[in-house]
């Protein structure tokens, strides 16, 4: 007899077309009803609270006195909570963000009882191939999801194992019809039968067991009070099936009895039976790029800096850092980071990102100040300290500011040796902007702010300090040129503003680099939709204003142009070009590094269109390589279902538009070209020979959802709601870099190149004035310092942070190559204890060898974490 597990649950979108506060009002009402039923009805055994603890956080903000009620129900096993903080998107959210989502979700759950140890992600727009590795890192061996699968992955069954390259494995219960098929089940027999007759054939066809899942819940749905009456009707209608209230753990207990389940690998991004919205990665690029930038600041700068400060004797501010993480994780649910929301909700999301970045920036500044202020030195001069957050020495061209009253100055290291530098800009600034107390006592002498550039080799995971000494005024050099010529490249600019790059290592030229492509977008916030038969517009014939400068350290190219485009869809259909997008590229190329860094400032004045930048590679590609969480993924430049999607009635056309986290590359065995990104996370490989990386700069649309789109036929996704803010009118700044290289994308370890690019050198200029006063601390810090050093390793640092519960540091690294690598780290001054840890920071195995030197293998697409107690 088929067993039908009716699982009561509430799918809780904190925000969507409605605001967080609107849903919070409903949440308070729903929670009261849920708890009343669980407390008073012994026959009602379980209720699943959507796998995310942010629901409880929102509820307790209104009802703090309800914590004990919740605790009793969780400990009784009736109210099922966790393991996530929010139900994360998996495609454009970074590795550490997903790890912290589980880390904080499990931590919050354990304050009440045992969390549900299931990777429950019922509505994420596609499944990252690396999720089993992350779940296993928290001792989670089950997952439930809906979107992205089809039989072409290797099975048409709803239960299977899902495995990663490093051998991590989870057992999957697929929800083939979604999480809401049991929503508002009617008592009326005919209506109930009509519903079930649609569902049972699909459920029966897919299952490998006699146990079926009927989730009884929906978005913001209150508890179904008459569920027992409905179950009674179901038993009458289907006497050959047994119906009962259950929980997901019971399902997995039954599935685990199967010994012939298929094992699948890879990501699930098929939009055959359910939509995954493959072009959602570029909706509201202002929000997407801000999220990328803030994620990278936290993991690449703030946490390593806080770890240095902790090692030097200062407090590691877990509470402040957790607040930042939770601020951005509220944005990581699929609708929120997907940006398929109403304008008022997007304003809320953007506001949270603004707050998170402000908190991050100010905490970074505070830690730098604490360290530099506490330096033990007899030198009374102002200081300029350069911080390196990579675990190896790096020779870097650094641009920074020095504020002083000196008309000229020298920078002298701790050994009294002056370092060469160039002044790029100088300006006088009012002393009141430094500290209003200066002018309060009548001192109006201006300060001079110098923008300077220097090259320095910095210690690994540490800092070095210069002293600012008065000297005669230094002349600013005239650096204008007609090209940039470095150790690696010779770069000129074409009349239309595109770059012509000659790579000296490869002996190859790349022309028309950063050509702009513009096309109409008749889509919505979920998906791009081109105009049928339209001719794309390119920046072939724009007139660009160009300036080129080069000094002994680096070259800089500035390109300004205005790209003519139609004002909106109607004008585009009529063939009228009567608006524009103003584009300002700033390209920086260090003389000694194979990286071309691009800042793109856009001012969009048109509606209903998409803008992309072309990076030609000279390679005819069959696949691309992009990074995902703690690894990489290979994708074909054409989806094999493109020729059959209409015949097979796919929910959406499977265009090869894909996400990246920090890089995408195409290559052969001899050379490749990669794009590294600190902003956009969407690309497509285009061109007659699939030889060009098209990097999406932004999409401009005006509706949350639309019906009957060219590439997505049928009903609208979401709802039909105008969203004029998503037209992206106004200014937007994006950052990315070009990285041509010898060897393939993986051989050259592009993941490590991306980490270098995304980990800037931070500086701090200590002067005797600051508007915010600090008392001296008892901590004394050295003038130069390093915490640990990577020794000839191919591993990539994910982050360095203090452990949540231990007086120890967590070092996490991963393998971005396609072969096993060895990681090797030397810990300055040794360590008292070193433990291998899982992602939940639980100790696994003690390192018994030399505690000042850790050496370990890392499999493909694997991360490793170590707990270091100094």
């Amino acid at each position: 007899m088929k067993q039908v597990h009716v699982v009561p649950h509430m799918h809780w979108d904190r925000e969507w077309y409605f605001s967080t506060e609107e849903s919070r009002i409903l949440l308070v009402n729903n929670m009261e009803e849920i708890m009343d039923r669980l407390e008073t009805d012994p026959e009602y055994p379980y209720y699943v609270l959507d796998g995310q603890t942010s629901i409880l956080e929102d509820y307790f903000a209104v009802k703090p006195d309800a914590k004990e009620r919740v605790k009793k129900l969780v400990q009784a096993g009736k109210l099922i909570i966790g393991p996530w903080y929010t139900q994360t998107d998996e495609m454009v959210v970074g590795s550490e963000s997903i790890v912290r989502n589980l880390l904080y979700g499990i931590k919050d759950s354990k304050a009440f009882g045992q969390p549900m140890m299931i990777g429950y992600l019922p509505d994420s727009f596609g499944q990252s191939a690396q999720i089993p590795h992350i779940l296993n890192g928290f001792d989670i061996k089950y997952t439930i999801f809906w979107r992205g699968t089809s039989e072409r992955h290797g099975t048409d069954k709803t239960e299977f194992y899902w495995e990663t390259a490093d051998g991590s494995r989870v057992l999957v219960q697929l929800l083939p019809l979604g999480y809401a098929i049991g929503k508002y089940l009617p008592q009326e027999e005919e209506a109930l039968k009509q519903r079930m007759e649609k569902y049972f054939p699909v459920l029966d066809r897919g299952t490998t067991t006699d146990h079926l899942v009927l989730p009884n819940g929906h978005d913001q749905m209150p508890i179904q009070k008459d569920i027992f009456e409905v179950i009674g009707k179901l038993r009458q209608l289907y006497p050959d099936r047994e119906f009962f209230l259950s929980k997901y753990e019971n399902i997995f207990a039954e599935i685990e009895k199967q010994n012939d389940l298929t094992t699948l690998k890879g990501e699930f991004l098929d939009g055959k039976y359910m939509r995954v919205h493959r072009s959602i990665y570029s909706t509201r690029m202002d929000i997407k790029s801000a999220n990328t930038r803030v994620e990278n600041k936290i993991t690449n700068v703030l946490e390593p800096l806080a770890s240095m400060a902790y090692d030097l004797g200062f407090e590691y501010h877990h509470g402040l850092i957790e607040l930042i993480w939770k601020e951005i994780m509220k944005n990581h649910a699929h609708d929120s980071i997907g940006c398929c929301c109403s304008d008022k909700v997007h304003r809320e999301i953007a506001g949270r990102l603004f707050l998170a970045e402000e908190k991050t920036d100010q905490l970074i500044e505070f830690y730098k100040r604490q360290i530099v202020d506490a330096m033990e030195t007899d030198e009374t001069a102002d200081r300029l300290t350069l911080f390196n957050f990579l675990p190896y020495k790096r020779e870097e061209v650094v641009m920074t500011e020095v504020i002083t009253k000196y008309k000229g100055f020298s920078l002298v290291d701790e050994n009294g040796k002056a370092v060469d530098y160039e002044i790029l800009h100088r300006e006088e600034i009012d002393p009141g902007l430094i500290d209003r107390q200066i002018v309060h006592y009548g001192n109006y002498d201006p300060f001079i702010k110098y923008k300077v550039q220097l090259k320095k080799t910095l210690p690994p995971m540490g800092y070095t300090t210069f002293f600012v000494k008065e000297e005669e005024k230094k002349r600013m050099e005239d650096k204008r040129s007609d090209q940039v010529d470095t150790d690696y490249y010779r770069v000129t600019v074409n009349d239309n503003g595109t770059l012509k790059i000659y790579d000296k290592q490869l002996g190859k030229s790349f022309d028309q680099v950063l050509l702009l492509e513009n096309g109409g977008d008749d889509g919505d916030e979920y998906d791009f939709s081109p105009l049928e038969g339209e001719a794309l517009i390119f920046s072939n014939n724009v007139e660009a204003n160009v300036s080129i400068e080069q000094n002994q350290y680096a070259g800089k190219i500035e390109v300004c142009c205005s790209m003519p485009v139609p004002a909106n869809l109607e004008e585009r259909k009529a063939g009228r070009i009567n608006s524009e997008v103003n584009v300002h590229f700033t390209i920086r190329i260090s003389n000694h590094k194979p990286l071309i860094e691009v800042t793109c400032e856009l001012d969009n004045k048109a509606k209903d269109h998409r803008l992309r930048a072309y990076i030609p590679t000279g390679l005819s590609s069959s696949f691309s390589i992009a990074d995902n969480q703690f690894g990489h993924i290979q994708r074909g430049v054409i989806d094999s279902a493109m020729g059959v999607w209409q015949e097979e009635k796919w929910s959406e056309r499977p265009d090869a538009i894909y996400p990246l986290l920090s890089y995408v590359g195409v290559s052969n065995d001899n050379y490749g070209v990669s794009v590294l990104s600190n902003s956009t996370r969407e690309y497509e490989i285009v061109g007659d020979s699939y030889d060009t990386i098209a990097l999406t700069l932004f999409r401009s649309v005006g509706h949350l959802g639309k019906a009957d789109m060219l590439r997505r036929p049928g009903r609208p996704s979401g709802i039909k709601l105008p969203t004029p803010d998503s037209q992206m009118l106004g200014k937007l700044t994006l950052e990315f870099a070009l990285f041509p290289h010898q060897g393939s994308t993986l051989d050259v370890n592009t993941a490590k190149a991306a980490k270098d690019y995304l980990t800037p050198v931070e500086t701090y200029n200590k002067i005797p004035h600051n508007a915010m006063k600090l008392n001296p601390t008892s901590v004394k810090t050295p003038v130069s310092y390093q915490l640990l050093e990577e020794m000839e390793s191919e591993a990539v640092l994910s982050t360095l942070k203090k452990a949540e519960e231990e007086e120890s540091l967590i070092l996490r690294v991963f393998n971005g190559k396609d072969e096993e690598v060895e990681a090797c780290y030397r810990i300055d001054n040794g360590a008292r204890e070193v433990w291998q840890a899982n992602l939940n920071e639980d100790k696994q195995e003690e390192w018994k060898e030399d505690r000042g030197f850790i050496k370990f293998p890392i499999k493909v697409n694997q991360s490793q974490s170590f707990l270091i107690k100094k």
Side-chain angles (χ1 to χ4, degrees), residues 32 36 50 112 120 148 164-165 218 463 548 627 651 688 814 849:
E32 296 296 312
D36 284 347
D50 205 35
F112 298 93
Y120 184 65
T164 56
H218 187 41
Y463 60 78
I548 302 177
D627 66 329
S651 293
D688 293 340
F814 68 94
E849 300 179 40

Side-chain angles (χ1 to χ4, degrees), residues 843-859:
K843 293 176 179 176
Q844 302 292 293
E845 185 177 342
E846 188 171 9
W847 178 259
K848 297 290 188 182
E849 300 179 40
D850 180 357
R851 291 191 179 92
F853 194 80
I854 314 172
K855 192 174 184 180
F856 52 95
I858 313 181
K859 297 177 183 177

Side-chain angles (χ1 to χ4, degrees), residues 375-381 383 414 467 469 781 783:
M375 284 180 179
E376 195 166 23
T377 175
D378 294 330
E379 183 59 72
T380 58
R383 301 164 200 167
E414 60 185 306
F467 297 98
K469 301 291 188 74
T781 60
V783 172

Side-chain angles (χ1 to χ4, degrees), residues 24 34 124 173 440 504 532 632 652 807 856 866:
R24 193 199 301 262
I34 291 164
S124 294
Q173 171 63 69
H440 181 74
K504 298 177 181 180
E532 190 167 13
H632 65 270
E652 58 186 23
E807 292 302 316
F856 52 95
F866 280 85

Side-chain angles (χ1 to χ4, degrees), residues 643-707:
V644 297
W645 75 279
Q646 288 171 303
E647 177 187 338
E648 293 183 356
K649 295 184 169 58
W650 281 51
S651 293
E652 58 186 23
R653 192 171 107 168
D655 289 88
I657 299 173
Y658 288 115
L660 68 144
L661 293 181
S662 66
Y663 77 84
V664 58
V666 296
S667 63
N668 58 23
D669 291 338
N670 298 318
Y671 82 96
V673 177
S674 298
V675 179
L676 320 179
S677 179
N678 193 29
S679 53
T680 175
R681 286 181 165 171
E682 181 180 280
Y683 75 94
E684 184 179 12
I685 308 302
V686 301
D688 293 340
S689 300
Y690 296 97
D691 58 358
T692 300
I693 301 170
L695 197 67
T696 309
L697 302 181
F698 70 89
R699 291 178 57 229
S700 164
V701 293
H703 290 85
L704 195 160
K706 277 186 175 181

Side-chain angles (χ1 to χ4, degrees), residues 694-866:
L695 197 67
T696 309
L697 302 181
F698 70 89
R699 291 178 57 229
S700 164
V701 293
H703 290 85
L704 195 160
K706 277 186 175 181
D708 297 318
M709 285 162 44
L710 190 63
R711 297 180 175 182
R712 200 191 69 212
R715 64 169 179 84
S717 286
I719 59 173
K720 293 182 179 180
L721 178 74
T723 53
D725 287 358
S726 288
Q727 292 287 6
M728 293 294 296
L729 298 173
K731 295 183 179 180
L732 172 69
T733 300
L734 305 172
E735 296 175 326
F736 55 93
L738 313 180
F739 178 47
H741 49 78
Q742 293 178 314
S744 73
T745 308
L746 295 175
D747 285 345
V748 78
N749 207 348
T750 302
K752 199 156 195 168
K755 177 70 177 184
D756 288 10
Y757 165 62
L758 296 170
T759 307
V761 171
E762 285 282 329
T763 66
Y764 186 79
N765 178 207
K766 175 177 168 53
I767 62 175
H769 310 282
N770 196 302
M772 303 293 182
K773 305 303 180 188
L774 286 177
N775 289 321
T777 72
S778 59
V779 176
K780 298 299 179 186
T781 60
V783 172
S784 60
Y785 158 89
Q786 71 180 51
L787 174 54
L788 55 82
E789 183 174 9
E790 181 182 290
M791 312 295 288
E792 299 296 324
S793 172
E794 296 266 33
V796 184
L797 177 70
S798 184
T799 200
L800 178 71
K801 66 180 288 286
K802 183 183 176 295
E804 299 291 319
E805 305 296 337
E806 297 257 356
E807 292 302 316
S808 307
L809 293 174
I810 294 287
L811 171 72
R812 181 152 44 249
V813 298
F814 68 94
N815 179 3
K817 299 191 73 175
D818 60 350
E819 60 186 7
E820 185 174 290
V821 302
E822 190 168 69
C824 189
Y825 292 87
R826 183 179 64 80
I827 304 162
D828 266 50
N829 303 316
R832 286 187 288 129
E833 292 179 32
V834 177
W835 291 80
Q836 193 168 2
N838 65 8
L839 293 175
N840 205 22
E841 303 185 1
D842 294 327
K843 293 176 179 176
Q844 302 292 293
E845 185 177 342
E846 188 171 9
W847 178 259
K848 297 290 188 182
E849 300 179 40
D850 180 357
R851 291 191 179 92
F853 194 80
I854 314 172
K855 192 174 184 180
F856 52 95
I858 313 181
K859 297 177 183 177
V860 175
N861 286 8
Q862 183 183 48
S863 71
Q864 292 273 21
S865 303
F866 280 85

